[in-house]
């Protein structure tokens, strides 16, 4: 299962947001059921992508958000909003 999170960020704080997001991604990879978590740049200037691959929807549903909560204070000042898309194997 793939989770694609498109984050709208403040341009002036984009680098800071990316660094915090990378730390969060490393922490997310430690979560049981997470195969990988990475941070990607978009061709949209004020967008930073978090791409997560999970073993299953059940594994993702069990995740308590602890990695996000650990870095929330670092992410929040430059965060403007996001959308999440979930893709499952057909």
């Amino acid at each position: 299962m793939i989770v694609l999170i498109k984050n709208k960020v403040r341009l002036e704080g984009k680098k800071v947001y990316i660094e915090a997001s990378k730390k969060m991604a490393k922490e997310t990879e430690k979560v049981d059921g997470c195969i990988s978590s990475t941070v990607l740049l978009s061709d949209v200037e004020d967008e930073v992508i978090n791409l997560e691959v999970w073993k299953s929807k059940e594994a993702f549903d069990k995740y308590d958000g602890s990695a996000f909560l650990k870095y929330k204070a670092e992410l929040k000042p430059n965060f403007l909003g996001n959308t999440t898309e979930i893709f499952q194997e057909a």
Side-chain angles (χ1 to χ4, degrees):
M1 186 183 103
I2 295 173
V3 179
L4 181 72
I5 306 160
K6 296 179 181 180
N7 301 288
K8 184 175 176 75
V9 301
R10 296 182 194 283
L11 287 178
E12 63 274 11
K14 185 175 179 179
K15 288 182 183 180
V16 172
Y17 186 90
I18 289 169
E19 289 309 309
S21 194
K22 285 180 177 180
K23 290 188 279 187
M24 182 185 69
K26 285 182 183 180
E27 193 76 21
T28 302
E29 285 185 334
K30 297 176 186 175
V31 174
D32 187 40
C34 182
I35 296 169
S36 69
S37 180
T38 191
V39 178
L40 304 170
L41 295 178
S42 166
D43 59 354
V44 178
E45 189 176 16
D46 66 347
E47 188 173 78
V48 176
I49 308 293
N50 289 88
L51 178 65
E52 301 172 356
V53 180
W54 292 83
K55 288 181 183 174
S56 66
K57 183 165 183 348
E58 293 75 26
F60 174 72
D61 288 344
K62 286 181 185 176
Y63 171 53
D64 63 2
S66 57
F68 166 71
L69 293 173
K70 184 173 181 177
Y71 296 100
K72 182 178 178 180
E74 291 181 56
L75 294 163
K76 190 174 180 180
N78 296 300
F79 174 78
L80 298 174
N82 68 14
T83 60
T84 301
E85 296 178 63
I86 296 176
F87 303 90
Q88 297 184 59
E89 190 172 335

